[in-house]
Amino acid sequence: GDWSSDVCSSDLYAVELDSLQCEEFIVTSPKVGESLKNFQASRGDIYIGDRAYSKQTGIKHIKESGADVILRGIPKFLPLQSKGGIPFNYLEHFRSLKEGEAREWDLKCRDVNVRVRLCVIKKDKEVAEETIKKLKRSASKKGQNISAERLEFAHYIIIVTTLSREEFALDQVLELYRCRWLIELVFKRLKSLLNIGGLPKKKSEGAEAWLYGKLLLALIAEAMIHAGESFFPWGCPLYQTNVA
C-alpha cells in the first residue's frame, strides 16, 4: 500500500492472503520508496506485488531470506539476461505470441545474479485497447507523451517469479498473481472507510501520528472482524447435559 504526502508516507503494508489481515507495516519518509528490501521475509513466504516492487535488489533480498516473489514486471526496472549473459529483449520475444497465449523463459537478473522465470500472457485485443485508452487519458492529464514501446507493452501481462517450475507451473503462477486483486480491495477499503488515502498534516511528526492512528484503527477493525467470524453464535449452552 502507499499513502503519502510531502512529509511522511507509508509504503510498507503487507497483507496475509488467506485472511487478508495485516502482517507488517512500517511508516517511512517519502525518500524511502516502495521496495521489498524493507520487508522481513521468512522462509516459505511468497510475496505478491505490483510493478513498483519489481526491482532487482528487492527480489534478491526476498530470495536470500528463503522466500519467493510473484511480481508484475516492468522492463525498465528489471533488465534480464539469459544464462549465457545475453540481454533479454522483451518485445522481440513477445511479438510472436497470439492473443491469450502464455509463455515463460528461464532468465536471471542482470545486476544481482538471481535466477527468475519471466511469465507473460498476451491480452485479448479489447482488453489491450482499454489499457491503452487508460494510459493515454492518464498521460493527457499529466501533460506527458507515451512512447510507442510503452503502448506495445500494454498488450501483455508480464509476471516475474522466483518459484521453480517444479513448485508451480506457468498457469499456477499466473493464477496466483490474480489473487493480488484481493489485496487491492483491502487497500480500497482502508482508503474509503478510514479515509487513509491522504495525509492532512504539514509537519512530519503530526503526519506520522495521524497515519499511525489510522493504521491502529485498521488493525482493531481487522481483529474485531476476525473475532466476530469465529465467535460461537449462542454464547453459552442453552441446557446442560449429564454424561454418566
Side-chain angles (χ1 to χ4, degrees):
D2 181 28
W3 307 286
S4 60
S5 70
D6 294 336
V7 293
C8 184
S9 71
S10 172
D11 62 282
L12 307 178
Y13 193 92
V15 176
E16 206 280 326
L17 191 58
D18 288 340
S19 65
L20 297 181
Q21 290 185 293
C22 178
E23 280 285 305
E24 179 183 4
F25 76 83
I26 303 171
V27 176
T28 68
S29 74
K31 296 180 180 180
V32 173
E34 294 173 296
S35 173
L36 291 173
K37 292 189 297 181
N38 299 307
F39 290 102
Q40 298 180 3
S42 300
R43 183 169 298 278
D45 288 345
I46 300 176
Y47 277 79
I48 303 175
D50 62 16
R51 297 175 178 87
Y53 292 101
S54 62
K55 300 170 186 174
Q56 298 180 79
T57 53
I59 294 173
K60 180 182 179 182
H61 165 71
I62 296 297
K63 194 61 182 174
E64 288 179 344
S65 301
D68 287 286
V69 300
I70 301 177
L71 305 170
R72 190 73 175 263
I74 296 185
K76 69 176 181 179
F77 287 167
L78 200 60
L80 301 175
Q81 58 187 30
S82 66
K83 295 179 181 179
I86 301 173
F88 183 82
N89 187 311
Y90 283 79
L91 289 176
E92 186 177 293
H93 288 83
F94 292 175
R95 286 173 180 143
S96 62
L97 293 174
K98 299 177 182 178
E99 288 185 18
E101 183 181 359
R103 194 176 298 176
E104 65 179 316
W105 293 264
D106 291 315
L107 303 165
K108 67 178 181 179
C109 298
R110 185 189 65 192
D111 301 326
V112 297
N113 197 29
V114 174
R115 297 200 177 280
V116 298
R117 291 161 63 194
L118 183 70
C119 308
V120 63
I121 183 169
K122 187 171 183 178
K123 300 176 184 177
D124 295 338
K125 182 178 179 181
E126 294 78 10
V127 176
E129 288 177 349
E130 185 61 31
T131 302
I132 291 172
K133 287 180 182 178
K134 290 179 180 178
L135 285 174
K136 289 182 176 180
R137 283 198 298 267
S138 177
S140 177
K141 290 179 180 178
K142 298 176 182 178
Q144 299 174 341
N145 295 319
I146 305 177
S147 67
E149 183 181 70
R150 188 179 180 191
L151 291 175
E152 188 172 357
F153 273 122
H155 290 268
Y156 307 96
I157 296 174
I158 305 168
I159 307 296
V160 61
T161 183
T162 54
L163 294 168
S164 68
R165 293 174 186 254
E166 291 72 27
E167 293 174 299
F168 291 89
L170 173 59
D171 59 339
Q172 291 176 307
V173 171
L174 296 174
E175 190 66 27
L176 269 176
Y177 181 77
R178 291 179 63 186
C179 296
R180 189 179 70 83
W181 294 110
L182 293 174
I183 303 170
E184 293 297 330
L185 292 177
V186 173
F187 296 143
K188 184 177 181 180
R189 182 181 65 195
L190 290 173
K191 291 179 179 180
S192 61
L193 298 181
L194 297 180
N195 193 26
I196 203 171
L199 303 180
K201 303 296 181 180
K202 300 298 182 182
K203 295 184 178 180
S204 59
E205 295 85 356
E208 185 174 351
W210 185 91
L211 189 51
Y212 269 122
K214 289 287 187 176
L215 292 172
L216 177 60
L217 285 175
L219 296 179
I220 293 173
E222 285 183 355
M224 292 176 67
I225 292 171
H226 179 71
E229 289 175 345
S230 59
F231 184 72
F232 184 68
W234 297 110
C236 61
L238 294 180
Y239 58 87
Q240 285 187 322
T241 58
N242 296 319
V243 179

